Amino acid sequence: MDLDTVGKGISFKFYSAYYPPKYAKLKANSLEELYDKVPIADRHSIFYHVFHPMLSSHAVPEDLPNDFAFWARDSLHDEELAEILADLPGAEPLNVEDIRREILEVLKTYGVTNRVGEYPFIFMSCVPVVYYTGVEVKTLAEFLDAVATVPVRSIFYHFVYKRVIGEKTRNDFSNWLESNFGLTELANELSKLDPQTYTDEEKFRGDLLKVLERWLLS
């Protein structure tokens, strides 16, 4: 593959976003209340609690990738439930509603009791603020350089947020590589990366680059 090719000539503009939290006016004191509140929490609340630790790796435990798992361990002192909730799948084609159903299924299967936690689970939500980074690429070489250098929040926006929240059914990188260059196999391999398994955003960027470099530089 010629790294300087422009394919069909479709450029890729890198946008980014930050996700200022806001109180969702819901809280759960017990497992039973958590089960009742998850269905009525807005989609950005579920998204926030499952994925914000990836962008806050300096402030959350490395072994627990989402807030539900952290609450189960730290408030309910239930290591087993925490481990199950830590394994929530988040890869394509799952979106936030799929993940919501998975959380409810885990809780239902585990056993919904009125066991009260040491402190409540406070539901937060967020209002994403999206902005253009000023980075636009046309070639594969420019794309590789951009993925290595843009703010990791830009990678998260294109690879995770838009697909999980339901704006797209697939991450933007795979869509562009396939539609502009016909790189279907590379696009499919990227789509298999599960962002829910990461609590370190730079580790996620590194694994993304490894896949790209293996296909484009070898």
Side-chain angles (χ1 to χ4, degrees):
M1 176 63 69
D2 178 3
L3 293 183
D4 291 323
T5 179
V6 296
K8 294 181 180 178
I10 305 169
S11 62
F12 189 100
K13 290 184 177 181
F14 283 82
Y15 289 81
S16 188
Y18 57 96
Y19 309 87
K22 67 173 187 176
Y23 180 45
K25 300 178 182 177
L26 293 173
K27 71 176 182 179
N29 292 295
S30 67
L31 208 53
E32 186 176 34
E33 289 183 3
L34 185 69
Y35 185 79
D36 290 339
K37 300 295 172 54
V38 166
I40 60 176
D42 67 63
R43 62 179 181 155
H44 277 99
S45 179
I46 300 298
F47 164 80
Y48 178 84
H49 287 296
V50 172
F51 288 101
H52 93 88
M54 186 176 170
L55 296 174
S56 309
S57 57
H58 60 287
V60 298
E62 292 185 356
D63 59 331
L64 295 176
N66 67 68
D67 289 341
F68 296 106
F70 182 77
W71 184 75
R73 186 178 75 180
D74 203 51
S75 180
L76 289 176
H77 305 294
D78 191 326
E79 294 276 357
E80 182 181 2
L81 178 58
E83 289 182 11
I84 298 172
L85 288 168
D87 286 336
L88 292 174
E92 292 179 16
L94 298 178
N95 60 35
V96 72
E97 295 305 330
D98 298 317
I99 295 167
R100 186 200 305 270
R101 282 192 289 274
E102 181 69 20
I103 295 169
L104 291 171
E105 186 61 32
V106 165
L107 296 178
K108 184 179 180 181
T109 301
Y110 191 75
V112 178
T113 70
N114 59 1
R115 185 154 45 108
V116 175
E118 190 173 299
Y119 59 83
F121 186 97
I122 305 295
F123 283 84
M124 302 299 292
S125 187
C126 60
V127 180
V129 178
V130 181
Y131 60 94
Y132 177 45
T133 64
V135 177
E136 179 177 3
V137 301
K138 295 181 179 179
T139 69
L140 291 168
E142 291 171 345
F143 180 67
L144 273 174
D145 288 343
V147 171
T149 57
V150 294
V152 75
R153 284 175 181 266
S154 178
I155 295 174
F156 183 86
Y157 174 73
H158 288 290
F159 200 91
V160 182
Y161 173 76
K162 292 176 70 178
R163 188 262 305 172
V164 169
I165 211 66
E167 291 184 11
K168 299 284 185 64
T169 57
R170 197 180 200 191
N171 75 82
D172 286 346
F173 297 158
S174 289
N175 278 336
W176 185 65
L177 290 167
E178 183 171 37
S179 63
N180 196 48
F181 299 101
L183 294 169
T184 302
E185 290 182 81
L186 170 56
N188 289 341
E189 184 166 342
L190 286 179
S191 293
K192 293 177 182 176
L193 286 175
D194 184 355
Q196 171 58 10
T197 62
Y198 292 88
T199 55
D200 184 325
E201 62 268 31
E202 288 301 338
K203 176 72 167 51
F204 176 65
R205 185 210 297 267
D207 285 355
L208 193 63
L209 281 170
K210 286 179 184 175
V211 174
L212 290 170
E213 289 170 355
R214 188 170 71 251
W215 280 87
L216 300 178
L217 300 182
S218 60

